[in-house]
Amino acid sequence: MSQAGGTPAAETAARLRAEIEQHNVRYYVYDDPSISDADYDRLMRELQDLEAAHPELVTPESPTQRVGAAPVSAFGSVRHAVPMLSLGNAFDEEDVTAFDRRVTDTLRGAGLLGPAQQTEYFCELKLDGLAISLRYEDGRLVQAATRGDGQTGEDVTSNIRTIKAIPLQLTGPAPRVLEVRGEVLMNRADFEKLNAAQAKRDEKVFVNPRNAAAGSLRQLDPRITAKRPLRFFAYGWGEVQGLPGGQSGLFDEAPAGAAEASPLPEKSHGAMLDWLASLGLPVNVKHNLRATGAEGLMAFYAKVGALRASLPYDIDGVVYKVDSLPAQKLLGFVARAPRFALAHKFPAEEATTTLLDIEVQVGRTGAITPVARLKPVFVGGVTVTNATLHNEDEIRRKDVRIGDTVIVRRAGDVIPEVVSAVLEKRPADAREFVMPKECPVCGSAIERLEDETIARCTGGLFCAAQRKQTLWHAASRKALDIEGLGEKLVEQLVDSGRVKSLADLFSLRPLELVGLDRMGQKSADNLVEAIDKARAPALGRVLFALGIRHVGETTARDVARHFGSIEAIMDADEDALSSVPDVGPVVAGSIRRFFAEQHNRDVIDQLKAQGVQPVAEAVPQDTTLAGKTFVLTGTLPNWTREEASMRIQAAGGKVSGSVSKKTAYLVAGEDAGSKLTKAQELGVTVLDEDALKALLGES
Ligand code: IVH
């Protein structure tokens, strides 16, 4: 920036702005922040204070100016210097190979590719937000517009200026005119938070992050937009004029889509995006990739498909662009879309269908989950007939009624859920859901405690549904680890009345198993053998297997180590239980209440009668890491996370899933994400694999 000269205050302001902008670039462009949020806020406050004392120093580009200008009554319109186009769509491999063939044939015909050469593409994510054009003049953001009909959009400059990811001032030498095209979007986590806050204030909740982003950007009051967590990624450009320092460009022809005679500094799409990033504009460097031929495109599609659910934002496909700009120019346009680019769509994650009924399901702890029975609908790549409605309050909040047309979402392998009802289509006879008073499985009362959202069946192990899930949980890998005892088998054993409690499992004989569904002699023998092996489980596994509320695998092991025997645990009062590190009143109370019930104590006696004898947990010998909590994130070069966890635990350390003040070390590998950021914010020591090995004495 140029206002640096002059008074000391002016210099300080310039220095603070440069510093803040540099942190913005690290955060939004490279996803690699180097300071904590608190330190960033401190810099901002310093600048705000300084500007308050010296109002003459405030510039429109100052990062303090993102709070939002005064509201307007309507948006002005902006005619795009270069039209904003759309993309042709592909839905399957055939569409992609046909596209590649057309492109490659044309380029070979024109001599831009040799007869055996394949086309190079630049592959990007198809971000599910809204397209925006940003106009920079002499490096300053002067206008921002929505796509509109492609020729004319709405002037959303004041709103766009509140988005921190969008630089108000480009870094480094900038061209006279640069129009940047990209997508404004909202991360899913931010969207959830926003909706929760909106609901709390009884304000409009949004259907999905894209609607939330669009709604936030189309606010007439920029001060509201300023409070919405919007993001931006650049994926293209419009008009480019007057490169800095007389840079004539390696490529002087007008590229496709750009105004005639706009020299570009680079010859390929990828290099152009690198150039945009070098100016401080967020480009999706993490996921953009070059690929060759249709095969390369399909590989990118598959890779991104596998990644989709773990991305922080929604995408609806990928975009392939011919990388070479001269090749783009040659290919040109058809109707409203370029011939050099293609959007390859993913199966939609949301679909509309009819809600036929709402039934309830009983979980292991008696939790009652309302489940939507749906008219079969194809969504997220599969046919869905059921979807969760979470709980009664959710149904009320979403105002979903039986008979409604509903939007169903299935993202990745996540359980499908009903997102919302389409109110305009509500039939006159739509019925509200009423939580049953009795458990549909065992007939016991359903009860919902005052400050809980979850209703529960009070039948306990009297309820066959709870019994089945309790057994299934007890047999699971982290509990008694009984191989071959799956859901279907448990169902048959409980339904036939043969297995009423955990202990009954241990009296099963091969003969009575043979003849059950999908059970031959061999598998019956194997199962009985697996059950037999579970007669001497580690005490922690037994405690976990009991399915006590709030007692996870790690807590169970800690408690087991502390007390050493099941009898000691059964007789411990809340104070004794609370003396175990990491065990608070909730867990202690839950364990105490569990063993206060005679029928739960009976289970232990019955297990003993069946020859089940828990063995004391091995107390770690090496105590160098004793009591230290580790969190693992990212991919380590040699060890899997599981391996690293085991070694840490073997050395007496604890492994937790989330970073907090209590975390001693964060072990970070490649592609570490938010946990790393959080650890840095909290000042937690970060280790790589080598440092961890050293700590374990293994290097
Ligand atoms: S390029 C001339 N790249 O998809 C082509 N578009 O269907 C201009 N979109 O309106 C678009 N991610 O809102 C391009 N990496 C990406 C994109 C992308 C999302 C959206 C954009 C556009 C629509 C086209």
Side-chain angles (χ1 to χ4, degrees), residues 84-89 124-132 147 182-183 235-236 288 316 319 321 333 336-338 340-341 343 345:
M84 291 180 78
L85 303 167
S86 60
L87 292 168
N89 286 326
E124 300 172 5
L125 306 188
K126 189 169 187 312
L127 306 162
D128 200 5
L130 63 153
I132 287 290
R147 178 172 181 276
E183 202 86 349
Y235 52 63
N288 291 348
D316 55 349
V319 182
K321 299 171 180 176
F333 299 83
R336 320 273 4 267
F340 56 80
K345 302 288 275 269

Side-chain angles (χ1 to χ4, degrees), residues 96-97 100 104 118-121 123 291-299:
V96 176
T97 42
D100 174 57
T104 306
Q118 289 192 289
T119 307
E120 287 276 344
Y121 295 95
C123 306
T292 309
E295 227 168 274
L297 299 182
M298 289 309 297

Side-chain angles (χ1 to χ4, degrees), residues 320-557:
Y320 310 133
K321 299 171 180 176
V322 170
D323 194 33
S324 150
L325 298 187
Q328 286 194 5
K329 168 139 173 85
L330 179 94
L331 288 157
F333 299 83
V334 47
R336 320 273 4 267
R339 268 200 210 90
F340 56 80
L342 182 73
H344 190 178
K345 302 288 275 269
F346 285 133
E349 287 184 326
E350 288 184 357
T352 305
T353 188
T354 311
L355 176 59
L356 303 175
D357 201 358
I358 299 178
E359 291 170 12
V360 298
Q361 245 168 26
V362 189
R364 176 164 63 82
T365 58
I368 304 281
T369 309
V371 178
R373 303 287 176 225
L374 303 168
K375 187 162 164 230
V377 60
F378 192 73
V379 54
V382 299
T383 300
V384 166
T385 50
N386 300 320
T388 180
L389 279 158
H390 300 289
N391 58 56
E392 227 179 331
D393 290 352
E394 277 287 293
I395 300 179
R396 300 275 171 269
R397 185 177 72 73
K398 291 174 177 166
D399 188 20
V400 169
R401 300 189 193 173
I402 299 162
D404 268 345
T405 297
V406 291
I407 296 173
V408 177
R409 177 176 171 85
R410 179 183 178 275
D413 292 328
V414 181
I415 305 169
E417 64 168 343
V418 172
V419 179
S420 60
V422 184
L423 295 182
E424 307 84 75
K425 293 199 181 161
R426 171 164 291 165
D429 61 350
R431 276 187 297 129
E432 277 194 65
F433 167 74
V434 192
M435 180 59 85
K437 298 213 162 13
E438 285 166 9
C439 170
V441 177
C442 75
S444 302
I446 287 179
E447 170 181 284
R448 182 174 161 189
L449 298 181
E450 198 131 314
D451 46 0
E452 292 209 1
T453 38
I454 305 290
R456 286 176 199 279
C457 157
T458 52
L461 291 184
F462 173 70
C463 176
Q466 293 187 55
R467 212 151 57 216
K468 284 176 192 172
Q469 303 212 41
T470 301
L471 286 170
W472 194 45
H473 164 78
S476 66
R477 206 167 48 83
K478 290 174 174 172
L480 299 181
D481 194 17
I482 303 176
E483 216 186 305
L485 191 65
E487 216 167 343
K488 282 272 168 303
L489 196 55
V490 166
E491 192 145 292
Q492 295 179 66
L493 290 170
V494 171
D495 285 343
S496 70
R498 172 62 183 82
V499 172
K500 294 201 173 64
S501 80
L502 187 50
D504 289 345
L505 277 181
F506 289 89
S507 65
L508 286 173
R509 294 287 156 259
L511 211 63
E512 49 187 337
L513 291 174
V514 176
L516 291 181
D517 209 18
R518 277 182 277 170
M519 254 300 149
Q521 184 68 45
K522 184 98 184 84
S523 15
D525 286 344
N526 287 346
L527 179 61
V528 170
E529 198 178 312
I531 292 174
D532 215 32
K533 269 202 222 147
R535 281 200 159 81
L539 180 55
R541 285 177 173 266
V542 177
L543 199 56
F544 178 58
L546 294 172
I548 305 169
R549 269 186 89 193
H550 306 299
V551 178
E553 189 201 354
T554 312
T555 306
R557 198 174 38 236

Side-chain angles (χ1 to χ4, degrees), residues 50-112:
L50 188 67
E51 288 180 351
H54 302 273
E56 75 281 3
L57 294 180
V58 182
T59 67
E61 282 71 44
S62 176
T64 58
Q65 300 304 297
R66 294 193 187 272
V67 284
V72 293
S73 55
F75 295 113
S77 66
V78 173
R79 199 170 164 80
H80 300 299
V82 176
M84 291 180 78
L85 303 167
S86 60
L87 292 168
N89 286 326
F91 295 95
D92 55 28
E93 183 162 4
E94 231 170 90
D95 296 342
V96 176
T97 42
F99 163 75
D100 174 57
R101 200 174 317 118
R102 266 191 323 266
V103 165
T104 306
D105 286 351
T106 309
L107 298 182
R108 283 180 187 159
L112 283 182

Side-chain angles (χ1 to χ4, degrees), residues 75-298:
F75 295 113
S77 66
V78 173
R79 199 170 164 80
H80 300 299
V82 176
M84 291 180 78
L85 303 167
S86 60
L87 292 168
N89 286 326
F91 295 95
D92 55 28
E93 183 162 4
E94 231 170 90
D95 296 342
V96 176
T97 42
F99 163 75
D100 174 57
R101 200 174 317 118
R102 266 191 323 266
V103 165
T104 306
D105 286 351
T106 309
L107 298 182
R108 283 180 187 159
L112 283 182
L113 275 184
Q117 254 182 317
Q118 289 192 289
T119 307
E120 287 276 344
Y121 295 95
F122 195 81
C123 306
E124 300 172 5
L125 306 188
K126 189 169 187 312
L127 306 162
D128 200 5
L130 63 153
I132 287 290
S133 184
L134 308 174
R135 188 175 173 91
Y136 288 90
E137 288 178 5
D138 299 319
R140 289 167 57 235
L141 178 66
V142 294
Q143 192 171 60
T146 60
R147 178 172 181 276
D149 63 4
Q151 304 291 334
T152 307
E154 282 177 322
D155 184 341
V156 286
T157 313
S158 299
N159 290 347
I160 283 290
R161 290 177 59 89
T162 67
I163 303 176
K164 284 199 206 135
I166 296 177
L168 299 174
Q169 169 85 49
L170 298 176
T171 50
R176 244 289 301 139
V177 174
L178 171 61
E179 269 183 16
V180 180
R181 303 276 162 88
E183 202 86 349
V184 166
L185 52 95
M186 196 180 283
N187 280 358
R188 257 193 307 270
D190 290 333
F191 157 75
E192 303 286 353
K193 250 188 264 166
L194 171 65
N195 259 0
Q198 293 281 104
K200 210 165 171 185
R201 288 192 303 258
D202 261 333
E203 279 174 40
K204 177 189 163 75
V205 294
F206 298 97
V207 181
N208 54 37
R210 182 168 50 81
N211 284 4
S216 300
L217 196 61
R218 297 194 71 269
Q219 281 288 338
L220 290 169
D221 184 350
R223 291 170 302 194
I224 296 178
T225 313
K227 294 198 188 106
R228 302 282 173 82
L230 295 171
R231 305 265 167 160
F232 174 79
F233 279 118
Y235 52 63
W237 60 91
E239 191 179 357
V240 183
Q241 266 185 46
L243 291 165
Q247 196 179 337
S248 65
L250 304 164
F251 168 63
D252 274 328
E253 269 178 293
E260 289 299 317
S262 295
L264 294 179
E266 302 291 353
K267 275 191 205 196
S268 74
H269 180 83
M272 277 295 287
L273 293 193
D274 288 345
W275 177 60
L276 295 182
S278 77
L279 295 172
L281 290 154
V283 167
N284 205 342
V285 277
K286 193 158 173 189
H287 298 294
N288 291 348
L289 208 63
R290 284 201 172 77
T292 309
E295 227 168 274
L297 299 182
M298 289 309 297

